[in-house]
Amino acid sequence: MTLSQLIANRGPIRTIGVVGMGYVGIPSAVLFANVPSVHHVYGFQRDSPSSGFKISMLNRGENPLIGEEPDLPDLLRSAVTAGKLTCTSDFSFIKYCDAVTIAIQTPFADPKELIPDFSPLSDGLAIVGKNLEQGMLVVIESTITPGTTQGIAREILESGSGLRAGRDFALAHAPERVMAGRLIRNIREHDRVVGGFDDVSTKRAIELYSPVLTKGRIIPMTTTAAEVTKTAENTFRDLQIAAVNELALYCEAIGINVYDVREGIASLKGEGITRAILFPGSGVGGHCLPKDTYHLVRGLKVLGGIQDFPTETESLYLVARSINSFMPVHTANLTETGLLRAGKQIEGARIALLGWAFIPNTGDSRNTPSKVFFDHVTSRGATVSVHDPYVKEEPGISISGDVEPVLKGADAVVIFTGHSLYKSLQPARCRKITGARHPVIVDGRNIIDPDAFIRDGWIYLGIGRGDLNNHPVID
Ligand code: SAJ
């Protein structure tokens, strides 16, 4: 019997399994469960010490994710109340599903070696393989190195089940494109790239995702093209950020204001003209950009492609990564310059670090560049106290939710995250709290008014602010 016949015998997708109750899995499961034609959704979650608590929370209709997620709580409650969503650590229920999606993180064990830590995903694939039945659809939503779906993922599923992709079960990659704070909207409104192992797999995956899309449309392609799309779309964003970060360093070196230049460049408009100039900053964090470039570059090795490329030339994408990874160090260099102008050494200096989250007004601190800065200046002998209005805890680092105790006695104040709260910092009041005659302020996100602080006697330095970084100190 062909795969098409096996799928036809199953009929429409009625029972769905989602493996991994995280930022991607939970909104996915909730949206699938709210599709009228879907009978039941199982949210699969290992009962691990760090995440097992989510199972009972979700079954009570409570959202375990931190931060505001519009629409998610209501959709979750209605799905659970209707009895259409069950979370469980019993993965044997996978065999009752018509389709299973896998949304498990693929972090890098060591980016230097370009080796991702596939163990969590491989474990998830192995469990799905063990419970795989003929005619089922398996979709990987995690961000993966190009070549993974048709490569090791397919091998794990086939060896675990004794079945063959494309013959006995459908296989696809439909990368997630969600951002904390707008999970439901992103899934509904972003276009959905769907890469099938073969046309039958693509068709079945389109049937799975179409009902949850509102504005978004399906973009069908092969699994490898889908894997490259996802990793490249984040690589391109990292590249754009690196381009403006290098421009900021250039403007500092020649004493001009990068924001004047940015405004000038952005003014070039018209059909066919694109200058997506982004914003320079103290670094690039998050669960996407710091790692997806390495996934993309590694894809060439996995797929064994021989790329025609200029000799002795490093990948542009890896150069972009090194520029963005340098920005927290540059922020530390600006801090040291400011301290020297205040007659202080970085060794023994007290630094107030404002902002631990990697994006403004959230508690998400994954791969935060603040940590790179913290480690760098601490290794140079500085004492750092950290404030963040949203991030409550970080292993090994104490974070205060109250800004005044962090400012107290500080020789330098460094703004690392563009939290709105920092826009209202009052120069005179903050300087009084520091107790320093000419405290240093380094603005990593262009969020404060430099003149107000300079007029009050602060030593100001800002990323890209070559026009101000040597300003006279006002007594
Ligand atoms: N950043 C800059 N300058 C910028 C933009 C961002 O320094 O102009 C820094 C941020 O401070 C942060 C990091 O880059 O530390 C990442 O910021 P982000 O806005 O890219 O946030 P992410 O990592 O959550 O990116 C997500 C990605 N979405 C998905 O993977 C589905 C990314 O593809 C999106 O482009 C991005 O959201 C978005 O556009 O909002």
Side-chain angles (χ1 to χ4, degrees):
M1 199 181 285
T2 67
L3 180 57
S4 296
Q5 286 163 333
L6 288 167
I7 289 173
N9 288 353
R10 266 186 186 264
I13 294 171
R14 294 267 187 262
T15 307
I16 300 169
V18 176
V19 177
M21 289 290 100
Y23 272 87
V24 180
I26 291 174
S28 267
V30 162
L31 283 169
F32 285 141
N34 278 276
V35 172
S37 60
V38 168
H39 289 176
H40 203 82
V41 175
Y42 291 103
F44 294 103
Q45 173 59 53
R46 285 185 315 174
D47 195 2
S48 64
S50 57
S51 302
F53 72 94
K54 296 180 192 173
I55 299 171
S56 51
M57 269 190 90
L58 286 161
N59 285 331
R60 290 196 302 271
E62 293 166 24
N63 170 26
L65 299 176
I66 53 172
E68 285 298 305
E69 286 301 341
D71 297 330
L72 182 63
D74 294 345
L75 287 164
L76 171 59
R77 254 192 306 278
S78 62
V80 171
T81 310
K84 290 184 72 178
L85 174 60
T86 311
C87 287
T88 176
S89 58
D90 181 353
F91 287 77
S92 68
F93 281 82
I94 286 175
K95 58 174 159 306
Y96 305 123
C97 297
D98 299 314
V100 179
T101 68
I102 302 170
I104 294 174
Q105 284 267 20
T106 50
F108 267 91
D110 173 4
K112 301 282 170 297
E113 300 305 315
L114 288 184
I115 306 294
D117 176 7
F118 268 122
S119 46
L121 180 62
S122 305
D123 294 348
L125 287 161
I127 291 175
V128 171
K130 229 170 73 182
N131 295 284
L132 198 55
E133 300 285 338
Q134 282 195 312
M136 271 172 68
L137 163 67
V138 179
V139 185
I140 300 173
E141 294 194 349
S142 314
T143 303
I144 44 183
T145 302
T148 300
T149 305
Q150 67 172 27
I152 59 164
R154 179 176 55 82
E155 287 155 20
I156 294 170
L157 291 167
E158 289 183 344
S159 60
S161 62
L163 302 176
R164 294 284 302 280
R167 188 193 67 190
D168 305 307
F169 66 94
L171 178 60
H173 175 53
E176 53 85 8
R177 287 173 147 178
V178 295
M179 249 205 97
R182 42 192 202 234
L183 300 174
I184 294 292
R185 200 177 85 207
N186 284 165
I187 294 177
R188 283 175 160 167
E189 298 182 4
H190 276 328
D191 289 346
R192 192 78 197 230
V193 167
V194 174
F197 179 74
D198 55 14
D199 291 346
V200 174
S201 300
T202 303
K203 187 164 167 279
R204 190 65 163 172
I206 290 172
E207 184 192 333
L208 173 67
Y209 287 103
S210 300
V212 299
L213 299 185
T214 52
K215 281 190 197 154
R217 63 191 173 84
I218 297 276
I219 303 182
M221 58 183 77
T222 65
T223 55
T224 305
E227 291 160 338
V228 174
T229 299
K230 172 62 190 179
T231 50
E233 72 189 18
N234 283 341
T235 298
F236 273 49
R237 182 165 174 84
D238 199 50
L239 197 53
Q240 289 170 322
I241 297 168
V244 70
N245 276 337
E246 181 171 349
L247 186 65
L249 299 175
Y250 180 96
C251 291
E252 284 183 38
I254 61 170
I256 64 171
N257 180 354
V258 72
Y259 292 94
D260 292 341
V261 175
R262 183 183 185 287
E263 187 183 352
I265 292 173
S267 70
L268 183 61
K269 294 190 184 64
E271 63 288 342
I273 294 177
T274 55
R275 292 290 186 283
I277 183 159
L278 292 175
F279 295 90
S282 43
V284 173
H287 48 303
C288 308
L289 272 54
K291 68 175 174 50
D292 290 359
T293 296
Y294 297 113
H295 276 301
L296 177 66
V297 171
R298 189 171 167 270
L300 219 46
K301 288 187 187 149
V302 171
L303 289 159
I306 309 293
Q307 187 183 25
D308 189 14
F309 201 72
T311 50
E312 306 303 314
T313 306
E314 190 183 12
S315 151
L316 171 66
Y317 306 146
L318 293 179
V319 171
R321 275 282 68 233
S322 54
I323 291 169
N324 288 340
S325 303
F326 171 70
M327 295 313 285
V329 175
H330 175 61
T331 308
N333 295 341
L334 288 177
T335 307
E336 183 166 17
T337 303
L339 287 166
L340 290 171
R341 290 180 58 202
K344 293 176 180 146
Q345 301 295 320
I346 196 156
E347 188 176 356
R350 296 163 60 97
I351 297 173
L353 173 54
L354 305 189
W356 195 259
F358 84 89
I359 37 177
N361 305 323
T362 77
D364 198 339
S365 61
R366 281 173 285 188
N367 298 316
T368 178
S370 301
K371 178 84 172 58
V372 176
F373 173 89
F374 181 96
D375 291 346
H376 186 87
V377 295
T378 307
S379 71
R380 300 283 311 279
T383 306
V384 186
S385 50
V386 182
H387 172 266
D388 194 287
Y390 301 92
V391 179
K392 299 298 169 230
E393 55 195 20
E394 182 74 20
I397 309 243
S398 76
I399 297 179
S400 167
D402 183 355
V403 73
E404 292 203 1
V406 169
L407 292 175
K408 203 164 175 50
D411 301 306
V413 177
V414 183
I415 298 174
F416 234 89
T417 312
H419 290 314
S420 307
L421 174 74
Y422 299 141
K423 286 181 186 151
S424 53
L425 288 173
Q426 297 303 314
R429 178 164 173 63
C430 293
R431 185 161 63 83
K432 190 160 177 280
I433 296 168
T434 65
R437 186 171 164 70
H438 296 299
V440 174
I441 185 153
V442 178
D443 188 353
R445 296 290 174 191
N446 188 43
I447 197 162
I448 59 163
D449 170 8
D451 297 328
F453 280 81
I454 292 169
R455 277 198 305 272
D456 186 61
W458 290 72
I459 296 171
Y460 167 91
L461 297 103
I463 287 184
R465 295 308 303 265
D467 58 321
L468 285 177
N469 284 352
N470 286 306
H471 69 82
V473 180
I474 295 175
D475 264 325

